[in-house]
Amino acid sequence: MIDTLIIGGGAAGLSCALVLGSGLKKPFAKDKTVAIITHQKTSHLQNALFNNVLGLEPGTLGADLLESGKEQLKDLYPEVLQIDKEKVTSVLNCDTYFEVTTNKNTYKSTRVVIAVGYTNLISIKGIEGFIAPHPKAAIEKDRIWLKNTDNIIENNLYVAGTLAGDRSQFAIASGSGAKVATDILTLWNNGKHTKIHDKV
Ligand SMILES: Cc1cc2nc3c(=O)[nH]c(=O)nc-3n(C[C@H](O)[C@H](O)[C@H](O)COP(=O)(O)OP(=O)(O)OC[C@H]3O[C@@H](n4cnc5c(N)ncnc54)[C@H](O)[C@@H]3O)c2cc1C
């Protein structure tokens, strides 16, 4: 049984995994397990070019960020299990946990973070009822979001990134993943507001 399973290896998913990974060393996170399904084939980062993101060298390629993001996660927070080359086909609510099925395996997780982007090609069984037209994207683009309040779709089911209803901007999507991670850290820490800051 995983504690938190993140679905999607794009801006929001990787950012969520990095912040959760950085929190795993805290005493309140003892015994917590985090995994991420790092599917990246359909990430909007694949053909993005970044000149307007604070901290990124102008001209940075999104495709390079996808690779370096996984490396950063593996090097700094190897406790976060990276599940590669799998695509999620269903997320089923089984009351006390979620059963997440991919094209290869089935996982059980107490919490799930869905960060699969806002393209209307989503074909994950179990979440159809939450899909609605994206509130902050051009209508002709046919984008979607999963209806949520403060990134929570239902108990222990979170959504992050563009699929949460935010506009498509790298900093917003990665910030959304980080925000969900701190919400989960706060939950682990018995409701005490929590963030993880490294210091010089
Ligand atoms: C051409 C282009 C240029 C851009 N330029 C800029 C720019 O200059 N500045 C800027 O700020 N932003 C830019 N962006 C926007 C930025 O790339 C997005 O805002 C950001 O990638 C959104 O992050 P996300 O995590 O919501 O989605 P994504 O990064 O798309 O990640 C979603 C992830 O979910 C995975 N996934 C999908 N389905 C499944 C499934 N069934 N199971 C498991 N995983 C799945 C995908 O493979 C992907 O890795 C650009 C986007 C594009 C397309």
Side-chain angles (χ1 to χ4, degrees):
M1 177 72 87
I2 301 163
D3 181 277
T4 300
L5 177 61
I6 301 159
I7 303 173
L14 283 172
S15 176
C16 186
L18 283 166
V19 176
L20 278 179
S22 72
L24 284 175
K25 61 182 181 296
K26 296 287 182 189
F28 64 75
K30 192 172 160 286
D31 304 328
K32 299 293 189 213
T33 47
V34 176
I36 175 170
I37 294 175
T38 53
H39 185 280
Q40 297 187 321
K41 208 170 168 183
T42 57
S43 172
H44 280 204
L45 294 179
Q46 288 289 2
N47 46 7
L49 165 71
F50 294 109
N51 294 312
N52 61 2
V53 180
L54 181 68
L56 289 189
E57 187 76 26
T60 296
L61 298 180
D64 290 341
L65 288 180
L66 288 169
E67 273 311 307
S68 64
K70 284 199 296 185
E71 282 302 306
Q72 183 181 352
L73 185 62
K74 188 178 79 182
D75 291 347
L76 292 175
Y77 312 117
E79 305 79 15
V80 176
L81 174 68
Q82 291 194 39
I83 301 165
D84 211 7
K85 298 190 170 56
E86 294 189 30
K87 186 171 185 181
V88 171
T89 54
S90 73
V91 176
L92 299 182
N93 186 336
C94 303
D95 271 355
T96 53
Y97 66 92
F98 291 88
E99 188 177 85
V100 175
T101 303
T102 71
N103 52 330
K104 293 183 183 162
N105 287 301
T106 296
Y107 304 92
K108 289 180 179 169
S109 187
T110 305
R111 263 166 284 283
V112 170
V113 180
I114 304 178
V116 299
Y118 67 166
T119 305
N120 194 7
L121 293 172
I122 196 166
S123 56
I124 300 175
K125 288 197 185 75
I127 59 169
E128 305 91 335
F130 307 115
I131 296 177
H134 197 285
K136 292 183 180 175
I139 290 173
E140 63 273 18
K141 295 271 187 184
D142 195 22
R143 304 301 192 191
I144 57 165
W145 74 312
L146 298 184
K147 286 178 271 178
N148 69 89
T149 304
D150 199 23
N151 297 96
I152 297 175
I153 300 169
E154 59 180 16
N155 194 27
N156 286 326
L157 185 61
Y158 295 77
V159 59
T162 46
L163 189 61
D166 293 319
R167 290 198 181 89
S168 177
Q169 208 71 52
F170 178 81
I172 299 176
S174 55
S176 169
K179 184 260 182 203
V180 168
T182 57
D183 288 346
I184 292 171
L185 291 172
T186 296
L187 193 77
W188 288 354
N189 200 9
N190 286 323
K192 186 176 174 198
H193 289 293
T194 302
K195 60 210 178 317
I196 311 296
H197 288 179
D198 298 317
K199 299 181 187 70
V200 286

